[in-house]
Amino acid sequence: MRILAFSMLAASLLSGCQSMDKEQHSAVPETARSTVVDSLHGTQVADPYRWLEDLDSAETADWVKRQQSYGDRYLAQIPNRTVIEDRITQLWNYEKLSPPEVKGENQFFYRNDGLQSQSVLYRADKQGKHDKVLLDPNGFSSDGTIALSGVSISEQGQWLAYGTSQSGSDWQQWQFVNIATGEALTDKLEWIKFSSATWDKQGEGVWYSRYDAPAAGDNKMEQANYFQKVYYHKLGTPQSEDTLVYHRPDQKDWGFGTELSDDGKYLLITVSQGTDPRNRFFYQELATGNTVELMSELEAEYLFLGNDGDTFYFKTDYQAPKGRIIAVDLTKPQKAHWRELVAETDNTIYNASIINNRFVVSYLKDVLAEVQVYGLKGELQQTLALPGAGRVVGISGGRDDQQMYFLFNSYIHPTGVYRYDFNGSEVSAYNIPDVAFSPADYVSEQVFYTSKDGTRVPMIISYKKGMKKDGNNPTLLYAYGGFNISLTPRFSPATIAWLDMGGVYAVPNLRGGAEYGEAWHQGGMKEKKQNVFDDYYAAAEYLIAQNYTNSSKLGAYGRSNGGLLMGAALTQRPDLFAAVLPAVGVLDMLRFQKFTIGWAWTSEYGSADNAEDFGYLRAYSPLHNVVKQAYPATMVMTADHDDRVVPSHSFKFTAELQHQQQGDAPVIARIETKAGHGAGKPTAMKIAEFRDIYAFLWHNFGLTLPERIQ
């Protein structure tokens, strides 16, 4: 009788949830449809929500307000939503440190005491003692939405250059501080995107890259960004007097990154073209001002590692898709004279640097980290004994340093700082956080599955020990698949909260990333983008076939390029998921290139401006493949200050999906204010976002949240 009574209660609760959802669904905000039609390569393409691209109009502002109200009401009616927030907050509240960087007589590092909106920059002596606050971005704004976007410290540690970003925008403003006194200079550098600041040898000024200021009346949140230029700024002078160092008026889509050689003789200019992983490499002889185009063809990646006089060292994938290290003699720069020092292996080089006059090379071995140390002649000296199977990033150390520092983590092990002593050849813990859970209570396993075309794809699946593979576990499938970006294991306190709820967290390494080198990347770009989607669906089918979950308990989540993946999942395989979360997604594949930095993605996606690309883009563009049918529960996520993937992508997709939805599942928008694409988001905003993601999934899995999670 108790079992029957419990079943009746559960049915009553589920019925109540469904009735609330139906009530919400009946109140979907109306969105006006226009008659805009484009003719693209002989094909008529309707764009009824073109008006939502005008982000500054009163009509768009009203639409956003109504959608926010609708989405907020839906989320607010989910019982016990705050218990998720409480558990994530508890897990998030621990001290976090970055690896230290030594400059001059000081050591610099970031610290967050647990729940601070932004991490604080500290300086200490070389031994890491007597630390004091150098820069606290939490004082930049009352709500934590002005964030540090970058810092650069002069070689002798006397000056700090730092960039700030407001509300998550890609636009940066750079300022300067006297490190010894803490005094702020009046210098301000503006209209900077996608640039660091490179100090000269004497610490008298910096090189940086910027765009021209938008013309009066232009919308800086949407206007396309072209013609980046390299300038030199001398401390104590106005930006208007900065020296133009290098630009290419004949190449509007070239971008420039700068670096100074260790000997101070060369300004190194990495020339990018959009998001293409290949680059050109130039250098300027500072004594003469002469600029040399060392690698003038866009044919491979060239990452400068360091130099000994006229010998330059590079990590490259030229004739080595998984990467190798070469030496180039500036007096004999032709390819025939290049010397291979570290040969390509079966594992992909993730990163490389010169520390202690050695090559420190980070590899991906089936997605997991392996770090090896080589002499400058290429001889293998050491394979580091890492703390476990996971991810290594943030390697820090100078050319002559005796130690290096790095971060290590996995999905279930919090990020710790480790030190490697070149003299003792040992890895030791430098700072291990004290967290509110035991990693030993969780499992993170790697599996391999087969995609539609027979390709073997890795996936890491995490869950709490004792979970039964009964085919009924709530599961979140997160993925990206693009832009040569590898999804290596990343720790998040929010992931632990999901596992504590009884959830499974799965991350497949789809084609389009860099996990297996450039061939893996190219297998998921342009006309081969469908491979990425098929890899993702195969991951979902594997989880179901292996009894981790079923379609009624499976949620899909991805951000940015991963948001595009979510749009494809909704329109191509709505049967596979109970809930889908496209976040800051590229969803209009026919117009993305017309806004801000969208043109830079054409090397990855192609462009609808080209007839040969239009066909395959139109075939999968999420916005253009929404039809009248039943869709899974959907929460489209974006932010008002996203000037990378402009929010009109999400606005138009939300409106079309709401218009075409034939089922009872909700379609809501979660639109953040004073936030951007993701960088610099305050801690409280991150926690609230995960709270709503998990609550939305749980509710649409037909589950009721408990009164406490632990």
Side-chain angles (χ1 to χ4, degrees):
M1 288 295 293
R2 277 190 233 166
I3 294 176
L4 177 60
F6 180 80
S7 299
M8 291 173 65
L9 175 60
S12 174
L13 288 170
L14 182 57
S15 175
C17 292
Q18 290 172 338
S19 65
M20 283 189 289
D21 289 348
K22 288 180 179 179
E23 181 181 343
Q24 290 284 332
H25 185 62
S26 65
V28 175
E30 291 287 332
T31 304
R33 293 172 65 85
S34 71
T35 57
V36 173
V37 176
D38 293 322
S39 180
L40 299 175
H41 312 292
T43 300
Q44 302 300 105
V45 180
D47 194 359
Y49 304 114
R50 178 73 59 83
W51 62 273
L52 284 170
E53 292 180 0
D54 186 353
L55 301 179
D56 291 334
S57 73
E59 292 80 7
T60 299
D62 176 68
W63 183 90
V64 168
K65 184 177 180 180
R66 289 186 292 114
Q67 290 288 346
Q68 285 177 320
S69 177
Y70 175 60
D72 288 347
R73 287 198 311 273
Y74 180 86
L75 292 168
Q77 53 92 27
I78 300 175
N80 294 338
R81 183 171 56 133
T82 57
V83 304
I84 303 174
E85 185 171 5
D86 292 343
R87 181 54 175 157
I88 296 176
T89 302
Q90 180 188 27
L91 290 162
W92 211 292
N93 191 13
Y94 66 90
E95 185 183 62
K96 306 164 187 71
L97 266 68
S98 72
E101 179 182 7
V102 176
K103 291 283 188 177
E105 297 303 313
N106 292 308
Q107 188 183 99
F108 300 88
F109 60 93
Y110 291 98
R111 174 188 289 148
N112 190 304
D113 65 14
L115 296 175
Q116 287 175 289
S117 291
Q118 308 288 343
S119 294
V120 179
L121 181 63
Y122 285 78
R123 74 177 174 102
D125 59 28
K126 277 189 173 181
Q127 288 70 44
K129 299 178 180 178
H130 311 295
D131 58 273
K132 58 179 65 176
V133 173
L134 175 58
L135 193 65
D136 185 357
N138 295 290
F140 293 168
S141 61
S142 59
D143 57 4
T145 57
I146 298 180
L148 268 180
S149 56
V151 300
S152 180
I153 300 164
S154 61
E155 184 173 332
Q156 298 305 316
Q158 71 270 46
W159 297 105
L160 168 71
Y162 69 94
T164 58
S165 169
Q166 187 165 359
S167 299
S169 171
D170 281 336
W171 287 114
Q172 304 173 59
Q173 180 186 84
W174 281 76
Q175 297 171 254
F176 301 86
V177 170
N178 182 314
I179 290 174
T181 66
E183 178 185 1
L185 278 67
T186 58
D187 305 42
K188 290 185 179 179
L189 308 180
E190 298 183 307
W191 303 115
I192 298 172
K193 270 189 182 184
F194 317 120
S195 174
S196 60
T198 299
W199 286 97
D200 62 23
K201 194 74 171 175
Q202 297 74 31
E204 296 176 349
V206 297
W207 292 276
Y208 68 99
S209 302
R210 59 161 290 191
Y211 295 97
D212 292 337
D218 286 342
N219 187 334
K220 70 176 184 177
M221 292 290 293
E222 295 179 280
Q223 180 186 13
N225 306 131
Y226 291 112
F227 297 110
Q228 195 178 45
K229 302 177 176 71
V230 178
Y231 286 88
Y232 175 78
H233 173 77
K234 186 175 178 62
L235 290 186
T237 64
Q239 187 178 18
S240 59
E241 296 181 8
D242 289 356
T243 303
L244 178 61
V245 174
Y246 192 80
H247 75 130
R248 289 295 293 266
D250 59 325
Q251 301 290 347
K252 70 176 184 177
D253 55 355
W254 282 16
F256 306 105
T258 59
E259 189 178 350
L260 186 68
S261 61
D262 286 338
D263 57 18
K265 294 182 179 180
Y266 304 100
L267 176 66
L268 314 165
I269 304 174
T270 299
V271 184
S272 61
Q273 194 162 341
T275 54
D276 195 318
R278 301 172 299 174
N279 63 276
R280 298 173 174 88
F281 183 86
F282 305 163
Y283 66 89
Q284 189 174 99
E285 298 171 331
L286 293 178
T288 65
N290 183 41
T291 299
V292 177
E293 297 186 2
L294 186 62
M295 284 87 173
S296 59
E297 300 297 325
L298 190 69
E299 59 185 356
E301 177 207 46
Y302 297 101
L303 174 66
F304 178 81
L305 304 180
N307 71 296
D308 286 316
D310 289 337
T311 301
F312 278 24
Y313 303 112
F314 293 91
K315 176 246 174 177
T316 183
D317 58 8
Y318 177 73
Q319 296 186 344
K322 293 187 178 180
R324 60 175 176 152
I325 294 175
I326 62 171
V328 178
D329 187 339
L330 300 188
T331 65
K332 297 181 293 183
Q334 298 81 9
K335 290 186 177 72
H337 299 293
W338 292 3
R339 290 185 293 119
E340 180 177 88
L341 300 177
V342 178
E344 182 183 27
T345 72
D346 290 338
N347 300 324
T348 303
I349 296 181
Y350 185 64
N351 202 0
S353 53
I354 299 179
I355 304 173
N356 193 245
N357 288 300
R358 294 169 168 88
F359 295 121
V360 177
V361 185
S362 301
Y363 290 96
L364 292 183
K365 188 175 183 179
D366 284 331
V367 185
L368 303 174
E370 180 175 272
V371 181
Q372 294 185 332
V373 178
Y374 296 83
L376 292 183
K377 294 182 179 180
E379 68 280 15
L380 177 62
Q381 296 181 347
Q382 182 83 12
T383 299
L384 270 59
L386 298 176
R391 173 180 184 242
V392 169
V393 291
I395 294 178
S396 171
R399 180 78 186 249
D400 299 318
D401 289 352
Q402 296 300 312
Q403 298 89 25
M404 74 174 190
Y405 300 85
F406 62 90
L407 297 172
F408 177 85
N409 71 272
S410 74
Y411 289 113
I412 61 174
H413 287 269
T415 304
V417 182
Y418 291 82
R419 177 171 56 197
Y420 174 70
D421 189 322
F422 287 92
N423 292 330
S425 298
E426 293 180 354
V427 172
S428 58
Y430 180 76
N431 181 271
I432 305 300
D434 183 15
V435 294
F437 73 97
S438 172
D441 293 338
Y442 305 83
V443 174
S444 195
E445 59 181 349
Q446 187 177 56
V447 301
F448 295 85
Y449 65 90
T450 303
S451 190
K452 181 179 180 179
D453 64 357
T455 299
R456 181 175 180 260
V457 182
M459 175 165 56
I460 296 179
I461 307 171
S462 304
Y463 50 88
K464 204 162 188 179
K465 282 184 178 177
M467 181 205 74
K468 295 180 180 179
K469 293 182 184 178
D470 58 5
N472 204 40
N473 297 296
T475 298
L476 178 54
L477 184 61
Y478 179 85
Y480 188 79
F483 290 93
N484 207 40
I485 293 173
S486 299
L487 279 196
T488 52
R490 301 188 181 199
F491 177 78
S492 169
T495 299
I496 300 300
W498 176 256
L499 305 185
D500 286 344
M501 293 167 64
V504 175
Y505 184 69
V507 181
N509 296 96
L510 316 178
R511 277 173 284 185
E515 290 87 347
Y516 293 103
E518 182 56 20
W520 192 254
H521 170 221
Q522 292 184 16
M525 59 186 286
K526 291 193 172 180
E527 74 279 1
K528 297 180 181 178
K529 189 66 178 177
Q530 187 62 44
N531 286 338
V532 180
F533 309 148
D534 291 339
D535 288 356
Y536 187 69
Y537 309 148
E541 290 163 346
Y542 176 92
L543 292 167
I544 294 169
Q546 297 299 315
N547 288 322
Y548 287 93
T549 191
N550 64 74
S551 290
S552 71
K553 298 289 191 298
L554 183 56
Y557 175 37
R559 302 182 60 83
S560 193
N561 172 73
L564 161 60
L565 172 62
M566 296 302 103
L570 274 164
T571 54
Q572 294 183 2
R573 291 297 306 274
D575 59 300
L576 205 47
F577 306 97
V580 182
L581 302 151
V584 292
V586 187
L587 298 162
D588 183 347
M589 298 308 296
L590 304 186
R591 289 178 59 79
F592 71 85
Q593 73 278 12
K594 299 182 182 298
F595 304 99
T596 62
I597 203 65
W599 60 264
W601 314 331
T602 59
S603 59
E604 181 79 11
Y605 296 139
S607 171
D609 295 337
N610 302 322
E612 59 269 28
D613 299 340
F614 169 75
Y616 67 76
L617 288 169
R618 176 67 179 83
Y620 75 73
S621 177
L623 177 64
H624 301 92
N625 284 279
V626 179
V627 297
K628 286 193 179 297
Q629 66 174 21
Y631 287 99
T634 304
M635 181 164 69
V636 182
M637 303 166 65
T638 188
D640 63 346
H641 278 69
D642 189 347
D643 50 7
R644 187 172 306 179
V645 181
V646 292
S648 53
H649 281 271
S650 295
F651 294 173
K652 292 163 69 175
F653 187 70
T654 298
E656 184 68 8
L657 204 61
Q658 288 176 340
H659 176 70
Q660 303 284 14
Q661 172 67 299
Q662 298 298 293
D664 292 329
V667 176
I668 68 171
R670 188 183 188 277
I671 306 170
E672 288 184 316
T673 55
K674 300 187 74 173
H677 198 62
K681 190 175 291 186
T683 296
M685 194 178 287
K686 294 177 185 176
I687 292 173
E689 181 178 349
F690 280 115
R691 173 203 65 201
D692 290 347
I693 288 171
Y694 294 171
F696 184 83
L697 291 170
W698 214 255
H699 183 66
N700 285 287
F701 290 164
L703 301 172
T704 301
L705 288 164
E707 295 184 358
R708 187 182 178 197
I709 300 169
Q710 60 182 8

